[in-house]
Amino acid sequence: MNDCLFCKIIKGELPSHKVYEDDNFLAFLDIHPQSPGHVLVIPKKHYRWVWDIPMCDKPSPNYCDYAAVIHKVAKAIQGTFGTDAVLMKVIGEEVPHAHTWVFPMPSEVKGDKKDFEGNAKKIQEQL
């Protein structure tokens, strides 16, 4: 989609602080973080909603592959910020591209949530 912010990030037309990328998925820091290390995990193919991603019995990429990336990012956030409390939210109305928020519980972590470069680097080191 030409006007989708996340599609523009995928194409490199808009900057982002990437923490993970493969052929099918991208994870980057949210520009309005709930806490340090607030990551968005998105499919590179444009789907409007998370539930539009093909089911696990379909060829890759599918929802199981997507869930595996979310799991990987959540475990990296746990290691980075020293907390078991990692939240996941699927909301979707703010940007019309399937995405999942993954972030440490704000009351459980310390750090500057606007330190995008530092937080991205710390998470990448855990992946």
Side-chain angles (χ1 to χ4, degrees), residues 99-111:
H99 61 284
T100 301
W101 291 8
V102 185
F103 59 101
M105 185 175 294
S107 63
E108 302 260 331
V109 295
K110 294 183 173 107

Side-chain angles (χ1 to χ4, degrees), residues 4-28:
C4 173
L5 293 176
F6 291 171
C7 288
K8 289 179 180 182
I9 289 171
I10 292 163
K11 293 180 204 170
E13 296 172 3
L14 291 175
S16 68
H17 295 280
K18 296 177 186 178
V19 299
Y20 175 85
E21 182 173 20
D22 65 23
D23 291 340
N24 300 306
F25 304 102
L26 177 64
F28 56 95

Side-chain angles (χ1 to χ4, degrees), residues 89-100:
K89 289 187 178 183
V90 178
I91 302 171
E93 80 277 2
E94 65 281 354
V95 176
H97 186 119
H99 61 284
T100 301

Side-chain angles (χ1 to χ4, degrees), residues 2 9 30 59 84 92:
N2 291 335
I9 289 171
D30 192 303
D84 287 332

Side-chain angles (χ1 to χ4, degrees), residues 19 27-30 37-41 73 77 100-104 123:
V19 299
F28 56 95
L29 293 177
D30 192 303
H38 179 169
V39 174
L40 300 176
V41 181
V73 168
I77 288 172
T100 301
W101 291 8
V102 185
F103 59 101
I123 294 168

Side-chain angles (χ1 to χ4, degrees), residues 29 35-38 76-84 104 108-112 118-120 122-123 126:
L29 293 177
S35 63
H38 179 169
I77 288 172
Q78 283 179 321
T80 300
F81 297 99
T83 181
D84 287 332
E108 302 260 331
V109 295
K110 294 183 173 107
D112 181 359
N119 289 328
K122 287 188 267 187
I123 294 168
Q126 293 288 323

Side-chain angles (χ1 to χ4, degrees), residues 43-127:
K44 286 186 172 179
K45 182 176 179 184
H46 184 91
Y47 296 102
R48 173 58 184 96
W49 301 103
V50 167
W51 47 88
D52 292 333
I53 299 169
M55 290 302 297
C56 297
D57 60 344
K58 303 295 184 197
S60 186
N62 57 45
Y63 188 80
C64 288
D65 299 331
Y66 182 61
V69 173
I70 293 168
H71 181 267
K72 183 183 284 194
V73 168
K75 297 306 278 184
I77 288 172
Q78 283 179 321
T80 300
F81 297 99
T83 181
D84 287 332
V86 175
L87 305 177
M88 180 178 92
K89 289 187 178 183
V90 178
I91 302 171
E93 80 277 2
E94 65 281 354
V95 176
H97 186 119
H99 61 284
T100 301
W101 291 8
V102 185
F103 59 101
M105 185 175 294
S107 63
E108 302 260 331
V109 295
K110 294 183 173 107
D112 181 359
K113 63 184 180 181
K114 294 287 190 170
D115 179 12
F116 297 111
E117 288 183 29
N119 289 328
K121 184 176 179 182
K122 287 188 267 187
I123 294 168
Q124 288 167 348
E125 291 170 355
Q126 293 288 323
L127 286 169

